[in-house]
Amino acid sequence: MAERRYDPQEIEPRWQAVWADEHTWEVANRTAEQLKALGRGRGTAGAPGRLTPDTEPDTYVLEMLPYPSGEPHVGHLKNYAVGDAVAHFRRRCGERVMHPMGYDAFGLPAENNAIKTGVQPRVATQASIDSYRRQFHRWGISIDWSREFGTHEPRYYRWTQWIFLRLYERGLAYRKEAAVKWCPKDQTVLANEQVDAEGRCERCGCRVEIRQLEQWFFRITDYAERLLNDLDNIDWPEHVKTMQRNWIGRSEGAEVTFRCEELAIDYPVFTTRPDTLFGATFFVMAPEHPDVLRLAAGTDHEQQVHEYVNHAITETGEERGDLDKPKTGVPLGRTVVNPVNGERIPMYVADYVLMEYGTGAIMAVPAHDERDYAFARAFGVPIRRVIAGENPDGDEQGLPYTGDGPLVNSNPEFDGLDNRRAYAEIVAWLDRQGLGHGSISYRLRDWLVSRQRYWGCPIPIVYCDRCGIVPLSEDELPVELPDIDDYTPKGRSPLAAAEDWVRTTCPGCGEPARRETDTMDTFVDSSWYFLRYCDARNEHAAWDRAAVREWMPVNQYIGGVEHAILHLMYARFFTKALADMDLLDVEEPFASLFTQGMITRGGAKMSSSKGNAVAPSSIVERFGADTARCYVLFIGPPDQDADWSDEGVEGVHRFLGRLWRLSAEVAERAPASEDDRPPGADEAHGPDLALLRKAHWAIDKVGGDLRRFAFNTAIAAVMELLNECYRVRDQAGDATLRFALSSAASILFPFAPHVCADAYQLLNGERVWEVPWPQAEEAFLESDFYELVCQVNGKLRDRVQVATDASLEELKESCRVAPNVRAHVDGREIVKEIVVPGKLVNLVVR
RNA sequence: GCGGCGGUGGCGGAACGGUAGACGCGAGGCCCUCAAAAGGCCUUGUCCGCAAGGGCGUGUGGGUUCGACUCCCACCCGCCGCACCA
């Protein structure tokens, strides 16, 4: 027999050509008639069965679209290997799967690269996209290429602009001057989410400054409550939901008004502890509060306040956020009146109060808040206990006290009440007096979307001296991004230099006007791309509603956990806002989410600067795409981080080679024929029975593992099956071997499509992707005998063969007489016998 | 500080409260070969023992249970997110 060699470099391109030529993975949207005939907008997942295109449920499997930069890395390989396994499995379970691909093509790296090298962002981006597309083909990912687009193409971004205008109409896009975070190196404004805890730009790592600028915002805060509540209705990992909940940061409390009588100004404050209102002994404002300087004007502290504010504002978040730093602040020389008791309490400015949370001013209750306590001790402000703790005697004992207890020193009406009870009563009382009301505060800020950058989606707005801010009309879209020569940021968008482009006429009055020169945050582009895939070639609308209804929500979304907050929150916000405009029928974009872990090497994140990166292309060239894909899934649970090992890759390659070689050998020596079926469960015996059992066990196991994303154990199960094939290759019948190998190829196909398609074709002459997912036969999953585990006092002492249908008594007896059990019972009294049929018997002896 | 996740052989990792260590890597041995590569077969938690078998073993300490990697309580360590959020 001729020696056969597993040659992925021959096998893989051959099958890729078939899939490309036949457009195998493309799915069309259903026609109105088809949808009507089906009596639904979309299907629900059905039981696996024959593939019948007319009644298959529609399924949307999506991986996060890549940002095309250079070449795809191992993280992409893992992301798309996971998604493709899901897509293939669901197809063969009888679903009609849309599995599209696109590119998140606008963004700072391409622009920074342009500044450095002079290569136009458009050119560099296109080169990267071509490289990504080539690799995705080479990996054999089953993509519907008919729906491909890049977010930088006018045919896409005209609809991004269209959505901007819809948001503007609804008051969800607005312009305001705000203290914004500004990156001095990238020369651009950043969203809160793009600044890390140390106050550094997430892109270039340099210190962020504060600037006052007019900027565009999206009113995501209007959706805070729904973004929070609807997390309960989606199948997402708990840690991602937790991150979103933390980011939204909902706090329940009350807004209470303190009045500064000297200047006759009311200051509302937000507090989560209205029950401690009677313990408020001072009042603090954030250094950024617009009234601080005005309040201090004319007092003895004016100079001091000026200096303090100037210093505080230039401090970075890192310096200011340091918890160990002693509290600082300056008196304002003014007082406010505590509305519950009429007391005048002093005002301070201090940097531990943040302008961006609540109202930028707080009532301070040192007895029951650690920060207020620290400040009061540092500044000698009185501390008044208003909730009795465990040791109610000593006033100064156990302060600050943040626990529960009865109110004291408050007001006869409330003293003695449990503080939780008092909370509600005080809020009700404030409400009646018109001094406050129950209130909810969120940490979430509105989304700042303006960027003083070139390589982004232009904002479809013009400024007219007469009409002010004028939105363009739909038929003026797209506002195309002009070509320019100089991308260097100069504190304004590089677009401002394209004078011919900037100068336009006002759509309202026809007078000369100027275009908005900022572009949109690239997160805007990726907040709706999943909708566009549903109807990617529509030239008349962003999408046809029926098409979106057919596919949305995405059944399975897959991507990196690094997008847990930003992208995944923005996409949810867009979906809700568009649903509110009656443009969509879903309120959540991603019904189910899977977040894959990172692949590291030597324990560290792969990066070219560390020199530990593995290029997927080098693995594909050496071992083939099937090996590369299988390996990243075999390495460990896909939601956890995993460390790359070159030896591990070779192991997987050996496994695929073994599968292919034995398949080729069996196919050659025993060509498939109609009447050559493997024996049934009642006729099989010996090695045939063992192998058939193993095959059906693997079929059952891999299906279950795929459903729960346990790809590593699924691949291990096929390895076990293949090991059994080799073990009995000379004893088992050809039909049995062919069945076992076909089954292996069939269930491994979602992970290693090329080699499995090839092996399956050799063995059966059929295309495995056109064959339904196999079903395990119950009769082979059961057996007449099994190995009973015999324990004495919970310790394994022996194993004996028993009949599957043995009675409990028979099982106990089998255990009692097992030689090594007898040795351990050894005359002692058996006080209890635990029987777990199918598993074990445990004898408890004394 | 708050929240989440994790801690199992030399390594990556398996294990509905029921045989701990599947599968793979690495290591050792054998076969094939003139030889090597490739491939095939076997062994491999640890200690004692020629063996049969036994002791010990899932971060630590308790608990529940006939039986705990798994459940409960209290800790230790590591990673991730948020963090002076009133």
Side-chain angles (χ1 to χ4, degrees):
Chain A
M1 198 175 299
E3 179 72 10
R4 291 177 169 276
R5 212 172 65 84
Y6 167 52
D7 183 6
Q9 304 309 338
E10 185 277 324
I11 293 169
E12 295 181 353
R14 182 154 46 77
W15 289 101
Q16 284 154 14
V18 171
W19 299 327
D21 292 347
E22 300 185 8
H23 304 270
T24 311
W25 315 119
E26 291 181 18
V27 287
N29 289 353
R30 295 184 191 274
T31 61
E33 292 72 36
Q34 284 176 320
L35 287 171
K36 204 170 162 191
L38 285 166
R40 53 168 171 73
R42 63 174 303 157
T44 48
R50 297 258 25 126
L51 306 186
T52 49
D54 294 341
T55 56
E56 284 164 0
D58 295 317
T59 299
Y60 192 172
V61 175
L62 183 64
E63 298 94 65
M64 291 179 184
L65 87 176
Y67 174 75
S69 169
E71 255 193 80
H73 51 76
V74 178
H76 290 112
L77 178 66
K78 181 168 175 180
N79 194 196
Y80 300 114
V82 169
D84 212 36
V86 173
H88 275 311
F89 177 60
R90 297 186 74 146
R91 279 190 197 104
R92 292 188 52 214
C93 286
E95 296 170 39
R96 200 164 161 273
V97 174
M98 171 163 72
H99 188 218
M101 180 60 72
Y103 311 94
D104 187 19
F106 277 135
L108 272 182
E111 186 166 341
N112 288 339
N113 179 60
I115 294 161
K116 210 171 1 171
T117 65
V119 179
Q120 291 216 359
R122 198 185 310 278
V123 172
T125 300
Q126 195 53 53
S128 291
I129 288 175
D130 292 343
S131 152
Y132 274 58
R133 185 190 299 113
R134 233 181 353 257
Q135 294 253 345
F136 294 156
H137 273 110
R138 185 60 193 84
W139 297 349
I141 310 289
S142 62
I143 292 163
D144 179 349
W145 290 105
S146 72
R147 297 169 189 264
E148 182 195 23
F149 58 78
T151 58
H152 67 308
E153 301 170 30
R155 65 182 177 133
Y156 178 83
Y157 71 65
R158 71 179 285 189
W159 304 113
T160 307
Q161 294 170 340
W162 178 81
I163 292 170
F164 182 97
L165 294 172
R166 300 288 79 75
L167 291 169
Y168 180 76
E169 268 172 12
R170 298 272 298 192
L172 291 172
Y174 67 96
R175 197 167 157 80
K176 78 167 182 197
E177 182 170 299
V180 295
K181 289 167 180 159
W182 171 269
C183 173
K185 177 146 178 289
D186 291 337
Q187 292 275 303
T188 186
V189 167
L190 299 166
N192 287 339
E193 289 87 339
Q194 289 163 326
V195 179
D196 65 19
E198 282 83 44
R200 291 172 188 280
C201 169
E202 92 176 346
R203 291 256 182 250
C204 68
C206 75
R207 289 241 164 144
V208 165
E209 298 170 359
I210 304 296
R211 284 203 179 182
Q212 292 286 329
L213 288 174
E214 278 238 324
Q215 303 288 325
W216 285 100
F217 288 84
F218 287 163
R219 214 178 288 281
I220 191 171
T221 50
D222 273 12
Y223 286 82
E225 191 73 26
R226 282 163 68 190
L227 288 168
L228 188 66
N229 292 339
D230 289 351
L231 287 172
D232 296 336
N233 308 327
I234 49 182
D235 178 24
W236 284 23
E238 207 46 52
H239 68 278
V240 175
K241 291 189 184 184
T242 303
M243 278 193 237
Q244 291 217 346
R245 287 192 189 105
N246 289 345
W247 192 259
I248 294 168
R250 182 184 195 272
S251 303
E252 253 177 73
E255 203 165 284
V256 187
T257 303
F258 285 68
R259 185 172 180 79
C260 173
E261 292 187 333
E262 293 105 311
L263 297 180
I265 306 175
D266 284 337
Y267 288 109
V269 300
F270 175 76
T271 176
T272 54
R273 295 297 305 277
D275 51 321
T276 64
L277 253 170
F278 291 92
T281 55
F282 58 105
F283 187 95
V284 190
M285 298 183 106
E288 296 85 355
H289 196 289
D291 284 2
V292 164
L293 297 178
R294 185 162 135 218
L295 282 160
T299 70
D300 298 344
H301 304 280
E302 186 170 355
Q303 187 57 34
Q304 230 189 320
V305 168
H306 263 277
E307 284 166 14
Y308 184 77
V309 168
N310 283 338
H311 175 71
I313 281 178
T314 56
E315 255 186 336
T316 65
E318 186 178 14
E319 289 157 358
R320 196 167 153 179
D322 184 0
L323 281 135
D324 300 329
K325 192 184 79 163
K327 291 278 176 288
T328 61
V330 177
L332 286 169
R334 303 285 184 184
T335 59
V336 286
V337 174
N338 184 343
V340 295
N341 56 15
E343 274 179 16
R344 296 169 79 95
I345 55 176
M347 298 178 87
Y348 290 83
V349 55
D351 65 4
Y352 81 93
V353 174
L354 309 173
M355 190 60 215
E356 59 268 22
Y357 185 76
T359 63
I362 61 154
M363 67 170 205
V365 183
H368 304 291
D369 180 279
E370 288 178 16
R371 298 152 296 169
D372 296 345
Y373 183 81
F375 188 90
R377 294 302 295 257
F379 286 78
V381 188
I383 296 168
R384 183 194 303 148
R385 175 166 211 145
V386 292
I387 294 175
E390 286 90 26
N391 50 344
D393 353 312
D395 261 8
E396 286 288 315
Q397 290 299 305
L399 291 182
Y401 176 68
T402 53
D404 293 324
L407 259 62
V408 293
N409 301 327
S410 293
N411 172 312
E413 202 181 328
F414 304 113
D415 276 340
L417 276 184
D418 177 79
N419 69 304
R420 303 218 178 202
R421 186 89 196 279
Y423 178 116
E425 301 218 353
I426 290 173
V427 172
W429 181 87
L430 286 167
D431 209 7
R432 280 197 302 277
Q433 303 293 314
L435 298 168
H437 52 85
S439 172
I440 292 161
S441 194
Y442 298 94
R443 206 189 73 99
L444 183 70
R445 305 288 90 203
D446 272 344
W447 175 11
L448 169 53
V449 296
S450 300
R451 295 290 180 276
Q452 288 67 48
R453 279 293 185 156
Y454 168 76
W455 189 234
C457 176
I459 295 172
I461 293 285
V462 300
Y463 299 98
C464 168
D465 287 342
R466 193 179 305 176
C467 309
I469 298 173
V470 184
L472 294 175
S473 63
E474 195 176 326
D475 53 20
E476 289 167 292
L477 302 182
V479 177
E480 287 207 37
L481 191 60
D483 283 329
I484 60 168
D485 302 321
D486 184 7
Y487 305 96
T488 319
K490 300 173 181 72
R492 57 176 192 174
S493 169
L495 278 177
E499 267 297 322
D500 292 348
W501 180 83
V502 173
R503 268 197 300 271
T504 184
T505 53
C506 171
C509 65
E511 294 292 311
R514 299 180 66 77
R515 290 188 192 278
E516 168 69 61
T517 58
D518 287 353
T519 54
M520 291 185 224
D521 180 3
T522 55
F523 277 109
V524 179
D525 307 324
S526 56
S527 292
W528 74 280
Y529 77 103
F530 44 90
L531 300 172
R532 184 64 181 173
Y533 281 142
C534 299
D535 199 11
R537 295 291 170 267
N538 193 330
E539 291 177 17
H540 310 290
W543 56 80
D544 174 72
R545 190 155 174 174
V548 167
R549 196 185 302 127
E550 180 185 348
W551 297 111
M552 287 294 290
V554 173
N555 297 75
Q556 186 62 62
Y557 199 37
I558 299 152
V561 73
E562 65 272 18
H563 292 112
I565 297 171
L566 306 183
H567 163 61
L568 288 171
M569 183 92 77
Y570 295 148
R572 295 181 62 219
F573 159 59
F574 260 47
T575 303
K576 288 178 193 306
L578 292 166
D580 286 355
M581 295 174 204
D582 203 25
L583 296 167
L584 283 185
D585 298 283
V586 288
E587 297 234 351
E588 283 291 339
F590 314 122
S592 194
L593 173 71
F594 182 84
T595 53
Q596 95 245 15
M598 219 178 18
I599 295 181
T600 55
R601 192 162 181 230
K605 192 173 171 171
M606 283 192 196
S607 77
S608 39
S609 58
K610 286 196 206 92
N612 66 342
V614 174
S617 56
S618 71
I619 302 301
V620 171
E621 278 163 29
R622 277 182 66 195
F623 302 105
D626 287 330
T627 296
R629 294 174 55 162
C630 269
Y631 176 65
V632 296
L633 298 180
F634 181 66
I635 189 170
D639 57 334
Q640 284 173 29
D641 290 352
D643 207 58
W644 181 273
S645 138
D646 292 334
E647 294 80 16
V649 180
E650 292 175 35
V652 170
H653 188 247
R654 273 197 286 274
F655 158 62
L656 296 180
R658 274 158 66 85
L659 171 64
W660 187 87
R661 277 192 311 272
L662 191 56
S663 297
E665 183 190 313
V666 168
E668 188 176 279
R669 79 166 183 235
S673 65
E674 274 299 311
D675 50 335
D676 187 23
R677 305 199 156 280
D682 44 357
E683 42 188 4
H685 53 84
D688 286 271
L689 182 59
L691 183 53
L692 289 168
R693 282 222 184 100
K694 195 74 186 181
H696 285 281
W697 166 83
I699 289 168
D700 187 57
K701 165 103 176 130
V702 171
D705 283 356
L706 269 161
R707 265 178 272 272
R708 59 188 185 98
F709 283 75
F711 307 127
N712 53 333
T713 53
I715 293 167
V718 183
M719 288 173 170
E720 284 193 54
L721 170 57
L722 187 64
N723 288 344
E724 186 68 20
C725 288
Y726 270 83
R727 214 167 286 139
V728 302
R729 62 195 280 194
D730 296 325
Q731 295 101 57
D734 288 335
T736 299
L737 266 175
R738 186 180 317 104
F739 174 80
L741 288 163
S742 301
S743 298
S746 180
I747 59 184
L748 192 70
F749 173 75
F751 312 109
H754 313 86
V755 65
C756 291
D758 211 58
Y760 202 86
Q761 168 100 0
L762 289 170
L763 289 161
N764 302 301
E766 287 183 282
R767 297 170 146 191
V768 67
W769 66 88
E770 292 173 356
V771 175
W773 190 257
Q775 295 297 296
E777 275 178 51
E778 276 301 320
F780 281 109
L781 297 178
E782 296 154 3
S783 146
D784 294 343
F785 290 91
Y786 66 93
E787 202 166 62
L788 181 75
V789 167
C790 303
Q791 297 181 333
V792 177
N793 285 346
K795 279 193 196 301
L796 171 72
R797 292 306 178 193
D798 217 331
R799 299 164 222 247
V800 290
Q801 284 282 322
V802 295
T804 303
D805 55 6
S807 70
L808 295 188
E809 257 328 301
E810 288 168 324
L811 291 178
K812 288 180 194 169
E813 184 57 22
S814 301
C815 178
R816 282 192 296 258
V817 302
N820 203 38
V821 168
R822 297 173 77 141
H824 280 85
V825 172
D826 190 29
R828 287 188 286 178
E829 186 193 353
I830 297 174
V831 295
K832 200 168 178 183
E833 293 169 322
I834 316 280
V835 185
V836 184
K839 290 269 185 200
L840 57 80
V841 172
N842 183 18
L843 304 181
V844 186
V845 303
R846 234 181 357 219

